[in-house]
Amino acid sequence: MPSTTPKPPLPRRTPQRTAPEKIQEAVKARDALAAALTSAGIQLPAMDVRTPWPVTDDSDAGRDTRYALIHLGVCSAPVALALAAVIVDGAGR
């Protein structure tokens, strides 16, 4: 007969941060990615930071703050091929 004891919660893998800290983290990551791509001769012009939560809404006050997302946008086929080549070259090192 299966045990009815609830499982303990999984440990947190990242420290809890407030929304502004997570937005700053995403902006730094976006800027680092943009710099790396630029040094490889690639530009994704629509890179942006998005938040999947309403910034001024207090309805989620009891929930953990979610990560901000780095939106890479769309790119042309030649840019996608250049990006794929850079990734393959880097993975081969």
Side-chain angles (χ1 to χ4, degrees):
M1 195 161 148
S3 172
T4 58
T5 317
K7 293 181 180 180
L10 294 173
R12 296 210 177 271
R13 296 188 178 161
T14 56
Q16 292 301 301
R17 298 182 198 124
T18 62
E21 289 171 331
K22 289 188 178 188
I23 292 170
Q24 290 174 353
E25 176 185 37
V27 168
K28 286 180 184 178
R30 180 209 53 202
D31 293 347
L33 178 59
L37 290 171
T38 298
S39 71
I42 298 171
Q43 181 181 3
L44 296 177
M47 288 179 68
D48 194 10
V49 171
R50 309 255 175 110
T51 57
W53 65 90
V55 175
T56 58
D57 187 4
D58 291 333
S59 64
D60 288 340
R63 292 182 67 190
D64 291 339
T65 304
R66 294 170 273 188
Y67 277 97
L69 303 175
I70 302 163
H71 180 75
L72 301 179
V74 297
C75 65
S76 66
V79 171
L81 290 170
L83 183 56
V86 167
I87 291 169
V88 168
D89 289 345
R93 292 183 187 176

